[in-house]
């Protein structure tokens, strides 16, 4: 009897029926190795005795759950959604379908789905770790999930065949002609190691993933939907590789928050100029489906990837989410180009590369052509922000991921651009996120919510400190909570509808609506903590001459400007060192 059978029996059992589980089922439901249960039985005399020993030891599930209620899950063993204080009893109950007796502890609502995800990755991780080309291994697995989702008949042929010659034919089911690297097909056909990993991947996905794309929920019975599996594996592969040479994966919670803030309607023209693996575009498609839009209306959604690896994954991602999009042809892997093509757009959503030294625009822009100032050459942050804002329709809105440093950068060029964007009413909201939100960088991030310039005398900016809208998920990662994300969206929309009036934060959010006059006093600093902390006490001596203080302040300001100019000059001249 497996975990699946236990869950089914738990669901089907009557009110008075005693539920019995084996040692293996206890281990699977609690998310531990089988040896752990044997150790518990040997080391703890109070562990429940089996109520039946033929044909195997069978334990009363309720008794096991009560015993596991006293064992907290250590921090490094928690799954995503499990917080401090959660017990193995809680995980066990939710997995096998027993009543929850600890409602004060917050965990993921579907622990059975979390258990499936954990087992899915545990089965695939060895192949990734052993592979000499880990990027290619990821693409092979993601392509298999894509075929599962969009071509169940071809998937059945893959599952039944033992002939490598069929592989190339089945890959034709993928949504793009160049959707798989030719060298991957060659390795699967000719290399025994890759053939073995291919067949292992097929068996694992047969076991844990439901073919097809019709189901909107996360799992169907004892399997994950293909979309849920694809999303989860994107995250786990990013976590395992720790860094990328091109575009970083946008976490599902962050991508969904960006979409909810922009709220694209079915007729809105939506664009993602750095679509990465397609996670933001997929979130747009899910948002439209959740709001009853016909999938054919996704013709208004488009994107562009900077790297061929990301492009292949993005094309597959949109297909798995039920609406394959035309994301252009395979890109030339040029990570130095900053461009927002076409427009005007109703919505722009993007997570561009954070550092692009010696970047260039696809169409050269003269110094006077930048609407808010020529960006420095040592990073492209304010080049992206300006091009995104310029690509918006009159009522357009944009959300972009940026390093938190952009909200308070001190170099003169970036500070002047930020000030000009604020003065013109382009910056609507800044949402500060904590460290460890992304798998491939531990740096703190911020979301910039932008719009077209506003012609009104006082246009303030909403600044939100969203650190408490997140929770830990393991030792080195944080995720947005559902409640935290909802509070951010509700707060921003309420502030927007009120015309920028003062607001009252909900939940654990810290937020402040800052007037343009106050922003000027702080050199257009957009860091929430600058305005949320108590004002500094006045330590000025009464005997100080006000004119002398003003003169000293002017001297310091002149010195700071000179230093900024020198720094910008040096950074623009700095070229990456090539061995």
């Amino acid at each position: 009897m497996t975990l699946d059978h236990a869950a089914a029996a738990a669901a089907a059992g009557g009110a008075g029926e005693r539920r019995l589980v084996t040692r293996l089922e206890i281990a699977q439901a609690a998310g531990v190795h089988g040896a752990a249960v044997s150790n518990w039985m040997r080391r703890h005399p109070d562990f429940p005795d089996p109520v039946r020993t033929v044909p195997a030891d069978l334990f009363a599930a309720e008794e096991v759950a009560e015993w596991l209620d006293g064992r907290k899950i250590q921090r490094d063993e928690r799954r995503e959604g499990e917080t401090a204080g959660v017990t193995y009893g809680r995980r066990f109950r939710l997995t096998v379908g027993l009543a929850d007796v600890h409602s004060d502890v917050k965990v993921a609502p579907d622990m059975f789905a979390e258990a499936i995800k954990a087992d899915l990755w545990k089965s695939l991780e060895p192949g990734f770790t052993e592979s000499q080309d880990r990027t290619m291994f990821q693409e092979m697995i993601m392509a298999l999930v894509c075929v599962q989702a969009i071509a169940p008949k071809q998937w059945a042929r893959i599952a039944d065949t033992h002939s490598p010659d069929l592989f190339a034919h089945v890959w034709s089911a993928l949504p793009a002609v160049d959707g798989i690297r030719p060298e991957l097909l060659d390795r699967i056909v000719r290399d025994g190691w890759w053939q073995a990993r291919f067949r292992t991947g097929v068996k694992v996905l047969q076991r844990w993933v439901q073919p097809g794309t019709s189901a909107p929920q996360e799992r169907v019975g004892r399997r994950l939907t293909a979309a849920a599996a694809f999303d989860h594996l994107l995250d786990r592969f990013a976590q395992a590789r720790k860094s990328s040479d091109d575009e970083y994966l946008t976490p599902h919670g962050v991508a969904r928050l960006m979409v909810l803030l922009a709220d694209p309607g079915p007729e809105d023209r939506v664009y993602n100029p750095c679509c990465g693996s397609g996670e933001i575009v997929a979130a747009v498609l899910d948002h439209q489906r959740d709001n009853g839009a016909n999938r054919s209306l996704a013709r208004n959604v488009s994107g562009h990837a900077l790297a061929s690896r990301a492009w292949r994954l993005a094309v597959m991602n949109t297909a798995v989410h039920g609406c394959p999009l035309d994301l252009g042809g395979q890109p030339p892997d040029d990570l130095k180009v900053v461009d927002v093509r076409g427009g005007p757009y109703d919505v722009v959503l993007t997570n561009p590369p954070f550092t692009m030294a010696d970047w260039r625009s696809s169409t050269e822009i003269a110094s006077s052509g930048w609407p808010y100032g020529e960006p420095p050459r040592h990073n492209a942050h304010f080049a992206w922000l300006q091009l995104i804002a310029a690509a918006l329709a009159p009522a357009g809105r944009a959300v972009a991921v940026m390093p938190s440093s952009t909200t308070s950068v001190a170099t003169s060029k970036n500070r002047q651009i930020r000030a000009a964007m604020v003065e013109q009413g382009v910056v609507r909201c800044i949402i500060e996120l904590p460290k460890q939100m992304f798998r491939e960088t531990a740096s703190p991030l911020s979301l910039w919510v932008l719009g077209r310039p506003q012609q009104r005398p006082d246009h303030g900016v909403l600044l939100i400190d969203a650190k408490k809208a997140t929770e830990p998920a393991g030792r080195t990662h944080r995720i947005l909570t559902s409640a935290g994300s909802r509070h951010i969206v509700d707060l921003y929309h309420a502030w927007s509808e009120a015309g920028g009036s003062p607001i009252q934060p909900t939940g654990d959010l810290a937020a402040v609506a800052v007037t343009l006059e106050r922003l000027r006093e702080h050199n257009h600093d957009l860091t929430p903590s600058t305005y949320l902390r108590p004002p500094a006490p006045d330590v000025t001596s009464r005997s100080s001459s006000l004119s002398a203080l003003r003169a000293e302040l002017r001297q310091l300001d002149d010195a700071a400007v000179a230093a900024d100019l020198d720094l910008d000059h040096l950074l623009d001249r700095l070229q990456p060192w090539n061995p």
Side-chain angles (χ1 to χ4, degrees), residues 194-217:
W194 281 92
Q195 284 186 27
R197 295 306 174 274
F198 179 90
R199 292 194 176 99
T200 298
V202 170
K203 291 179 181 178
V204 170
L205 296 176
Q206 276 184 299
R207 173 69 183 84
W208 298 115
V209 181
Q210 176 70 27
T213 60
S214 58
Q217 65 269 27

Side-chain angles (χ1 to χ4, degrees), residues 161-169 185 188-190 195 199:
T161 188
H162 295 284
S163 171
D165 296 334
L166 185 60
F167 299 159
H169 170 71
L185 291 177
I188 293 172
V189 171
R190 302 178 186 277
Q195 284 186 27
R199 292 194 176 99

